Amino acid sequence: MKILFMATEIYPFVKTGGLGDVAGALPQALAKEGADIRLFLPGYPEILQNISKPKIIRKLSPFFGRDDAVLLKAKLPDGMTTYVLDCPGFYDRKSPYCTNDGKDWKDNHLRFAAFCRAAADLYLYDSEWQPDVIHGNDWQCGLMPVYLNLRGHDRPASVMTIHNIAYQGLFPASVLSDLNLPDTVFTHEGVEFYGKIGFLKAGLAYADAITTVSPTYAIEIQGNELGCGLDGLLRKRSQQLTGILNGIDEEVWNPYTDENIVANYDSNALKSKAKNKKALLKELNLTENKKQPVFGVISRLVQQKGLDLLVQAMPELLKIGASFVILGSGDKILENQFLKLATDWPSQVSVTIGYDEKLAHRIMAGVDAVIIPSRFEPCGLVQMYGLAYGTLPVVRRTGGLADTVIDEPEAGTGFVFDEPTAAALETALLRTCSLFQSAPLWKVRQENAMAKNFNWSSSAQKYLNLYNSLK
Ligand code: ADP
């Protein structure tokens, strides 16, 4: 079974969110399960600097208006074979999707259509290796199944994974011919989405199979509230849609081996977790209050994540002595609200605006609980890191959060609340505080959490079964 796995970000080279983590781990897990898998990546500078033995497979010019496109085959540092679409005019940029001030690159439709076309046509270019299945991720890969379908029957099968249905890649209908697509695909059943071209919509309409990253999200996106306009199409294609939970990369997120933290630990040595807490509080100039927990947030600061609810809930928690360590960036209003709380409560609130992978590890090991109050959450990785680190997640019951965190007296692994309101979050945080005051009960929940196993191998097996069903 030969699989071509397309990704527009990949940890540790280029990452803006969970997709980067998935692309950095799932292909390796699939290889361990016996799949003959190769990656397909855009030629961002960080990718070109890290590949070895690049070999030209095909010069592609003219290609979507450019004459500098070359398809390379190379090795990643971990030994995995990758194809790279090297096209400096498209990919030699500081950030994969948008400018420094957060505006989408104006030619994103061309950048990612080219990426899809090159992947779809790989089976025509590389005489040594042709994929049986091409697996695309998110809207950036949405045109891959369209180009494949236009090639006719004797072609690889396609899988599209939805990591977040809220990002759809919508472009004006006028660019259709720039994408090398015929007018015949601009239909309700095809690439058209309310008068525009929808890259994700196109992928979901043409893919042979569709997956998303948790069983609950697979159900939620077939509904009006979270389907973002694609729920009708997904209900129609529900037989082709499955939810497969993401795993976590245990080589990166493992408290027993994590090199970023001051003291390694496992569930038999939870005392060492306290050393990480001490070090973190010292580093961030926070005062320790043994009676109340330290809460952490590691997140993009966007509407989806529900952190505006936390801003409202925090004062009551601060009054009783809880502390907060926030790491994130995004929405400026939210950033400023958190910064103001840090100014007002300097010994209890630390806010770091930015993206800092190492600090994220120190926080995960150092805080007692991690808050993820998302309005929706396709899978979510942070709560799974929390479980692995004995850092109890406080989550809203949605998507992958609902699938991974248990809130029960005996088997509990964290705290779950239902309504997306500040009051519901506050109640959950107060419940967390009161359990924290009972050390033995808290320890049981930590041990339950750390006993959960979210490694990639069982998810990889499910993907393999799916690929096999398409062959
Ligand atoms: P999403 O993909 O929606 O952002 P996930 O929970 O699936 O949410 O994945 C987020 C990933 O990004 C996690 O690996 C998390 O640790 C990381 N992350 C988010 N914000 C930051 C930040 N400011 N600094 C470091 N890592 C971050």
Side-chain angles (χ1 to χ4, degrees):
M1 173 60 71
K2 296 193 184 71
I3 296 126
L4 185 67
F5 190 93
M6 300 170 70
T8 54
E9 54 187 270
I10 178 169
Y11 176 87
F13 312 115
V14 187
K15 169 175 154 181
T16 71
L19 169 60
D21 288 314
V22 173
L26 175 57
Q28 278 78 6
L30 284 161
K32 276 194 199 134
E33 298 296 324
D36 179 359
I37 182 160
R38 297 185 176 186
L39 284 155
F40 195 93
L41 304 169
Y44 303 129
E46 299 84 348
I47 301 289
L48 294 172
Q49 283 152 20
N50 282 288
I51 54 173
S52 57
K53 302 187 192 152
K55 193 177 141 206
I56 293 177
I57 295 290
R58 179 96 165 202
K59 288 192 172 144
L60 301 164
S61 82
F63 199 57
F64 291 82
R66 302 223 54 97
D67 55 11
D68 57 352
V70 179
L71 184 62
L72 304 174
K73 178 155 61 176
K75 291 273 181 202
L76 286 169
D78 64 5
M80 182 152 293
T81 300
T82 186
Y83 295 90
V84 177
L85 181 58
D86 181 15
C87 180
F90 280 155
Y91 307 121
D92 186 7
R93 307 206 182 160
K94 286 220 165 68
S95 153
Y97 313 125
C98 51
T99 60
N100 277 348
D101 47 6
K103 295 204 176 75
D104 290 342
W105 295 116
K106 282 206 172 77
D107 55 353
N108 270 351
H109 59 299
L110 298 174
R111 299 173 71 226
F112 295 111
F115 183 66
C116 290
R117 182 64 185 259
D121 284 352
L122 178 78
Y123 77 109
L124 304 171
Y125 299 151
D126 190 346
S127 54
E128 288 165 30
W129 191 90
Q130 292 93 37
D132 299 304
V133 176
I134 308 184
H135 186 160
N137 292 282
D138 275 349
W139 73 262
Q140 292 86 349
C141 300
L143 294 190
M144 171 272 290
V146 187
Y147 293 128
L148 274 182
N149 270 59
L150 291 169
R151 287 276 173 223
H153 289 298
D154 192 17
R155 50 131 180 118
S158 59
V159 175
M160 274 298 296
T161 294
I162 306 166
H163 295 263
N164 190 334
I165 205 166
Y167 299 95
Q168 300 201 346
L170 298 179
F171 300 98
S174 55
V175 305
L176 192 72
S177 62
D178 300 338
L179 304 178
N180 294 317
L181 288 173
D183 291 343
T184 48
V185 299
F186 193 72
T187 63
H188 186 60
E189 288 70 37
V191 308
E192 193 251 341
F193 187 66
Y194 294 101
K196 295 189 168 177
I197 300 166
F199 273 40
L200 182 63
K201 193 265 169 142
L204 302 183
Y206 286 87
D208 297 306
I210 303 168
T211 74
T212 189
V213 289
S214 70
T216 295
Y217 195 59
I219 295 165
E220 289 172 342
I221 54 178
Q222 295 179 57
N224 179 32
E225 197 183 329
L226 291 183
C228 297
L230 291 169
D231 43 298
L233 171 60
L234 289 170
R235 283 195 298 277
K236 211 168 90 192
R237 302 216 62 200
S238 63
Q239 292 304 312
Q240 285 84 42
L241 169 64
T242 37
I244 302 176
L245 201 64
N246 284 336
I248 62 174
D249 188 339
E250 290 178 320
E251 281 175 26
V252 181
W253 289 97
N254 181 345
Y256 197 61
T257 53
D258 192 334
E259 288 173 359
N260 301 294
I261 64 179
V262 298
N264 290 115
Y265 61 96
D266 60 13
S267 58
N268 298 316
L270 274 166
K271 280 211 176 89
S272 292
K273 180 164 166 53
K275 293 185 192 154
N276 293 297
K277 180 170 175 178
K278 240 188 178 53
L280 181 74
L281 295 179
K282 186 157 178 243
E283 172 187 348
L284 302 174
N285 279 324
L286 296 181
T287 310
E288 182 165 7
N289 173 352
K290 287 208 159 63
K291 296 207 180 92
Q292 295 291 357
V294 180
F295 291 99
V297 169
I298 302 164
S299 184
R300 294 183 293 125
L301 302 181
V302 293
Q303 159 85 1
Q304 172 200 339
K305 301 288 177 183
L307 290 161
D308 49 315
L309 309 178
L310 180 62
V311 168
Q312 295 173 56
M314 267 169 73
E316 286 309 310
L317 275 295
L318 288 164
K319 279 183 209 153
I320 63 163
S323 308
F324 293 85
V325 174
I326 317 275
L327 168 62
S329 65
D331 182 281
K332 295 291 164 227
I333 295 174
L334 208 48
E335 287 181 1
N336 288 330
Q337 287 171 328
F338 279 125
L339 287 168
K340 167 105 179 32
L341 281 160
T343 308
D344 294 348
W345 300 82
S347 62
Q348 283 169 260
V349 181
S350 158
V351 175
T352 307
I353 300 300
Y355 189 92
D356 186 335
E357 195 82 38
K358 290 193 157 80
L359 177 57
H361 284 253
R362 296 199 296 279
I363 293 174
M364 197 53 88
V367 300
D368 299 296
V370 61
I371 308 172
I372 307 118
S374 305
R375 294 197 161 80
F376 68 94
E377 192 62 73
C379 177
L381 295 170
V382 174
Q383 84 281 10
M384 294 200 260
Y385 301 151
L387 294 169
Y389 279 64
T391 300
L392 301 186
V394 184
V395 305
R396 187 165 163 253
R397 197 185 313 279
T398 182
L401 300 174
D403 291 335
T404 50
V405 182
I406 304 166
D407 189 351
E408 285 174 8
E410 274 167 31
T413 59
F415 304 87
V416 185
F417 64 99
D418 286 282
E419 294 304 314
T421 62
L425 171 59
E426 191 181 309
T427 307
L429 295 175
L430 290 170
R431 274 202 300 126
T432 310
C433 292
S434 69
L435 196 89
F436 184 76
Q437 273 138 24
S438 164
L441 292 181
W442 186 267
K443 190 157 171 275
V444 168
R445 228 167 251 224
Q446 282 183 305
E447 285 165 356
N448 289 344
M450 293 175 88
K452 295 283 165 203
N453 198 343
F454 293 105
N455 65 33
W456 270 106
S457 89
S458 67
S459 308
Q461 197 57 56
K462 292 184 182 127
Y463 279 106
L464 267 187
N465 292 344
L466 176 74
Y467 300 148
N468 280 318
S469 75
L470 298 173
K471 207 175 168 185

